Amino acid sequence: MKPIFSKTSPLGLRLFLAVTASIMLILTDGQTNTMIKVRSFMETAVGGLYYLANTPRTVLDNVSENLVDTGKLQIENKVLKEQLREKNADLLLLDQLKVENQRLRLLLNSPLRTDEYKKIGEILTAETDRYRQQVVINQGRQEGAYVGQPVIDEKGVVGQIISVGEKSSRVLLISDVTHSIPVQVLRNDVRVIASGSGRSDELTLDNVPRSVDIAKGDLLVTSGLGGRFPEGYPVAVVENVSRDGSNYFATVTAKPLASLERLRYVLLVWSHEEIHKYQASSPEDVRNTVQQRLANKERGVDTKKALVTEGNENNKENGEKDDIAIPENLPEMNSNDHQVLPEIQEHREED
């Protein structure tokens, strides 16, 4: 069959145009609002394909769940009931421990840390090669996700969101070669930078002097520096420390705690600053709050409802309004207005 157009442009000209267009896109990518909007539009458009590609797996999962043996379900149900009894027994002393913790922090004149919102997201697709460690989740702009939002799982830090669509978001994993996160050694609060190596089971610590006290087995947690990741979340465990006498810096590698190669569900974290402007409570405010909670507990009043009602009434009287929009479908905050720091926090706080 004779082609319609017999003449074609020279190969060198087409290569020149392709290289020129690529260079222009590299230089303008992320530099202007127009390119950011184009990227967001493309992310939204491609998001539907992720859902479509994920449909067969969802269907197969539903079918397999329906075919699970009844005996296995009965055994799992029995184990879960036993675990529930143990957890309920531990919760009996939870309120008392929280009040005691608040009293101790009151004596130290230290402001209480506020709760953080968390929401579960599901992995739609993953790209885990040597030069690209990213996943796409089913939480987007409609659910309140934003660029730079920290993402964790039940074991530790997973990464952060780098691109947001309407119903999906792209997460850059901490193992990516372009990702770095400020961390600190839980044992002695030594601050270092953990960077991705392109492998899901390895992080490298940059510019660690030989004299720094860091050893195999040390737990690395987020330091909170930079304001991107909240302080105190586990990141990795030091696996190898090599100190070469001819090199000023030590070679340190760590293994991420999060199961980056087997991710299925993750947690999106909204820090308090993203929900409401933080205002440190004075010792007198904390004292009044503790006394009010104790009084409500003695009267048998639900502490959570009483605090929420009291807070709403105070905001109405003072005419205060939140300037920051709260993401939709966020889970409800915990029973306390201020979150009680975990036990390991006392080893990390600085004067």
Side-chain angles (χ1 to χ4, degrees):
M1 180 176 179
K2 186 177 180 181
I4 299 177
F5 301 100
S6 59
K7 295 182 179 181
T8 59
S9 58
L11 180 60
L13 177 60
R14 286 182 289 176
L15 177 61
F16 174 77
L17 294 176
V19 172
T20 303
S22 300
I23 295 176
M24 291 179 62
L25 289 175
I26 292 174
L27 295 177
T28 58
D29 184 27
Q31 302 298 326
T32 61
N33 293 331
T34 302
M35 292 301 300
I36 295 176
K37 292 180 180 179
V38 171
R39 178 184 288 274
S40 178
F41 174 78
M42 295 179 64
E43 189 71 32
T44 302
V46 178
L49 297 178
Y50 293 140
Y51 281 96
L52 181 62
N54 199 48
T55 301
R57 186 185 70 175
T58 304
V59 173
L60 291 177
D61 289 343
N62 293 334
V63 173
S64 62
E65 289 176 0
N66 294 331
L67 297 179
V68 174
D69 184 51
T70 304
K72 182 178 179 181
L73 290 177
Q74 291 177 350
I75 295 175
E76 292 180 355
N77 190 20
K78 182 178 179 180
V79 173
L80 290 175
K81 285 182 178 180
E82 293 178 355
Q83 294 178 354
L84 182 60
R85 294 191 188 98
E86 295 177 358
K87 298 299 181 183
N88 288 336
D90 295 337
L91 287 175
L92 294 177
L93 298 177
L94 181 61
D95 291 336
Q96 179 181 355
L97 293 176
K98 286 183 177 180
V99 173
E100 182 180 358
N101 193 300
Q102 290 169 344
R103 287 174 174 171
L104 294 175
R105 296 192 62 83
L106 179 61
L107 295 175
L108 295 174
N109 194 19
S110 176
L112 302 180
R113 180 181 174 185
T114 55
D115 284 346
E116 295 159 346
Y117 289 98
K118 298 180 180 67
K119 189 173 184 180
I120 296 178
E122 184 178 0
I123 303 298
L124 296 178
T125 184
E127 301 174 7
T128 54
D129 54 57
R130 180 70 178 179
Y131 304 100
R132 192 180 179 91
Q133 296 275 319
Q134 300 179 7
V135 296
V136 177
I137 60 176
N138 65 344
Q139 302 292 319
R141 189 178 295 106
Q142 291 183 354
E143 290 75 23
Y146 59 92
V147 175
Q149 183 173 15
V151 179
I152 64 175
D153 69 355
E154 70 277 7
K155 296 181 180 179
V157 176
V158 172
Q160 59 179 299
I161 294 178
I162 59 173
S163 181
V164 179
E166 290 298 326
K167 295 184 178 180
S168 63
S169 300
R170 184 174 295 272
V171 178
L172 182 68
L173 303 181
I174 59 175
S175 57
D176 191 273
V177 292
T178 62
H179 190 278
S180 296
I181 178 174
V183 297
Q184 64 184 18
V185 180
L186 182 62
R187 176 172 54 86
N188 53 16
D189 289 344
V190 171
R191 292 189 176 96
V192 291
I193 301 296
S195 301
S197 62
R199 297 174 51 184
S200 59
D201 60 346
E202 182 179 281
L203 299 178
T204 59
L205 304 188
D206 301 332
N207 302 327
V208 181
R210 288 188 319 222
S211 58
V212 169
D213 182 15
I214 185 171
K216 181 179 180 180
D218 282 341
L219 176 63
L220 304 177
V221 299
T222 52
S223 63
L225 297 179
R228 181 61 57 87
F229 291 89
E231 181 183 4
Y233 283 105
V235 177
V237 175
V238 177
E239 274 201 333
N240 183 35
V241 180
S242 176
R243 293 181 172 90
D244 187 0
S246 61
N247 193 351
Y248 177 75
F249 297 106
T251 302
V252 185
T253 59
K255 183 177 181 180
L257 291 175
S259 304
L260 301 180
E261 70 281 359
R262 295 188 299 272
L263 285 176
R264 181 65 187 278
Y265 297 98
V266 294
L267 285 171
L268 279 68
V269 179
W270 281 266
S271 63
H272 182 68
E273 288 76 7
E274 294 294 334
I275 303 302
H276 185 68
K277 292 182 178 179
Y278 177 78
Q279 296 178 348
S281 301
S282 64
E284 183 178 356
D285 294 335
V286 178
R287 185 184 297 107
N288 294 335
T289 300
V290 173
Q291 293 176 353
Q292 182 65 29
R293 289 175 181 171
L294 292 175
N296 291 337
K297 187 175 181 180
E298 292 176 356
R299 296 197 304 266
V301 179
D302 189 339
T303 304
K304 177 180 177 181
K305 294 181 179 179
L307 289 174
V308 172
T309 304
E310 180 183 355
N312 293 337
E313 292 177 356
N314 292 335
N315 289 339
K316 292 179 180 179
E317 292 177 359
N318 298 329
E320 295 178 354
K321 294 183 179 180
D322 293 339
D323 297 330
I324 300 177
I326 298 178
E328 298 178 359
N329 301 326
L330 284 178
E332 191 175 343
M333 289 185 67
N334 295 333
S335 59
N336 293 330
D337 290 341
H338 300 283
Q339 181 181 5
V340 179
L341 295 176
E343 295 179 356
I344 62 175
Q345 180 68 16
E346 62 182 1
H347 301 290
R348 302 196 312 270
E349 294 211 336
E350 298 178 356
D351 293 338

